[in-house]
Amino acid sequence: MPGNTCRSLLKWATPVRTTLCLYFIGGALAFPGTTTKARNGLRVAQLSAAWSVRWVFCFSPTPRKLKWGFIASRSEATRALCYEGYQLVERGELERGLRLMKEAACAGNPEAQFQVGNFYSRDNHMADPDACLAWYRRACTWSERAAWALYCKEPDDSPGELQWLQLAAKQGNFKAMSVMARLYKMGCGGVQQDVARSDQIVQELVTSGAEAHHSLAQFYAAVGEEQAAVHWLTRAAEEGLPDAQDDLGNMYYSGLWVEQDGCEAVRLFSLAAVAGCSRAMYNLGKAHASRLRVARDRREAIRWVRLAAANGEPLARKLRLWLASSS
């Protein structure tokens, strides 16, 4: 009896061990590195999915069950291609990066479709506003960021502009929700005034975390409630949101709605910059370079401006040139 049990366990363990090996090999091969790795990862992941369906979960390998395993593994592979393409674009290999992102986008990956739209919206020789809108439209059913981007990109007289905003808000985009709350509160932008609906959206934002609190601050700023805007922006910054820390730092830097405080501005810029916010890197460099503010330090200014420029902040390039010319 013990011998039969051991043989049964070994018989079961062999495919499980094989499946786990295939799973980890597939994950390693699909990790962004080269196109070949991503495609090899797809094949291994598909094989792993087939083994998993048959052995690990003790299901018979019916076509329907295998189909979903293949779809899931293909989704991971297209994500790998999208990420690899994005990294190539960031390194300046525009055509190759775009080709990989398009391959993932044409396979139905909404994140890749959104990133292709973003690529065509950039200020480079391959910019194409029409292609940008077309790719955003393809992604907007699944991606709230794409729907929000469509609202921002569509011309003011576009009949579908409000439609994209409502879709993004419905999908949970906090910026879109804050704009809809403002439209309902003020009864503008083609929306009938509905204060109760505005208050309902505001309550959803109150209970939804730092990003929502940042958007809530933008809502209160837009409707003219300055103290509420500062309160929610401060709360989002305290919760560790880099964009909120940068915005609040700008308030202290300029003295907008708060007492001007250069030390606090530099502290907030530093927190956001260390967290990877390129705009905060630029603002921190600008604060170090300014004669009117605290912490004047030319070397620190150059360091942060260079980092901001390397992370794609357009204003940083001009400031870097100015710092180099004034040395």
Side-chain angles (χ1 to χ4, degrees):
M1 183 69 178
N4 291 335
T5 303
C6 289
R7 282 193 293 273
S8 298
L9 288 174
L10 287 172
K11 186 178 179 180
W12 180 82
T14 300
V16 170
R17 187 169 62 250
T18 306
T19 298
L20 291 175
C21 289
L22 288 170
Y23 177 81
F24 287 115
I25 292 171
L29 289 174
F31 190 82
T34 66
T35 310
T36 304
K37 285 184 180 180
R39 286 177 178 145
N40 287 343
L42 168 60
R43 292 197 268 284
V44 177
Q46 288 175 335
L47 183 58
S48 177
W51 276 80
S52 297
V53 171
R54 175 64 181 89
W55 295 104
V56 176
F57 298 107
C58 302
F59 292 150
S60 58
T62 63
R64 181 171 178 272
K65 290 168 184 173
L66 288 177
K67 167 191 166 186
W68 290 110
F70 291 151
I71 288 174
S73 59
R74 182 168 181 79
S75 174
E76 292 303 312
T78 56
R79 285 177 60 191
L81 285 173
C82 174
Y83 184 81
E84 182 187 347
Y86 178 80
Q87 293 298 318
L88 289 172
V89 168
E90 290 300 304
R91 292 201 299 265
E93 299 182 45
L94 301 183
E95 294 185 3
R96 188 177 169 213
L98 177 62
R99 179 169 55 82
L100 294 184
M101 289 195 297
K102 272 190 172 180
E103 187 174 339
C106 291
N109 186 298
E111 177 63 21
Q113 292 166 351
F114 174 75
Q115 292 298 348
V116 172
N118 267 354
F119 176 89
Y120 282 121
S121 72
R122 292 189 175 197
D123 184 18
N124 57 51
H125 69 282
M126 298 179 71
D128 187 338
D130 292 334
C132 170
L133 292 178
W135 282 105
Y136 280 157
R137 288 191 181 101
R138 289 183 67 171
C140 71
T141 304
W142 304 102
S143 169
E144 73 278 4
R145 291 193 298 164
W148 167 253
L150 264 175
Y151 168 73
C152 296
K153 292 287 182 183
E154 289 275 21
D156 292 338
D157 57 353
S158 169
E161 183 181 8
L162 182 61
Q163 167 197 345
W164 305 123
L165 177 64
Q166 290 172 327
L167 179 59
K170 184 177 180 180
Q171 291 175 334
N173 184 285
F174 297 131
K175 292 181 179 179
M177 291 171 68
S178 71
V179 175
M180 284 303 303
R182 175 176 62 83
L183 296 182
Y184 279 124
K185 185 177 182 68
M186 303 178 72
C188 59
V191 176
Q192 187 175 359
Q193 188 173 26
D194 187 343
V195 177
R197 177 60 182 145
S198 175
D199 292 341
Q200 181 182 354
I201 296 174
V202 167
Q203 286 304 310
E204 291 179 21
L205 292 172
V206 166
T207 58
S208 298
E211 289 187 18
H213 296 160
H214 187 209
S215 296
L216 191 57
Q218 295 171 337
F219 162 75
Y220 281 118
V223 299
E225 299 185 27
E226 300 172 2
Q227 294 305 312
V230 172
H231 167 77
W232 286 106
L233 188 58
T234 302
R235 181 163 173 179
E238 290 173 349
E239 290 169 336
L241 187 67
D243 286 342
Q245 292 167 342
D246 178 63
D247 287 345
L248 188 60
N250 270 321
M251 282 189 173
Y252 280 108
Y253 188 82
S254 62
L256 176 67
W257 300 346
V258 294
E259 185 177 351
Q260 194 171 23
D261 187 338
C263 293
E264 181 64 7
V266 168
R267 185 186 74 84
L268 289 164
F269 288 150
S270 299
L271 289 173
V274 169
C277 177
S278 61
R279 192 177 62 224
M281 295 174 189
Y282 164 74
N283 285 327
L284 183 57
K286 183 175 69 173
H288 280 301
S290 174
R291 295 179 180 177
L292 302 177
R293 310 299 171 195
V294 297
R296 177 166 170 77
D297 187 323
R298 182 179 181 78
R299 285 188 300 178
E300 280 294 289
I302 292 174
R303 181 169 78 91
W304 284 111
V305 169
R306 281 178 177 171
L307 281 172
N311 280 274
E313 182 61 36
L315 293 174
R317 296 169 188 171
K318 296 180 180 179
L319 182 56
R320 185 178 62 178
L321 291 173
W322 179 82
L323 287 170
S325 63
S326 61
S327 59

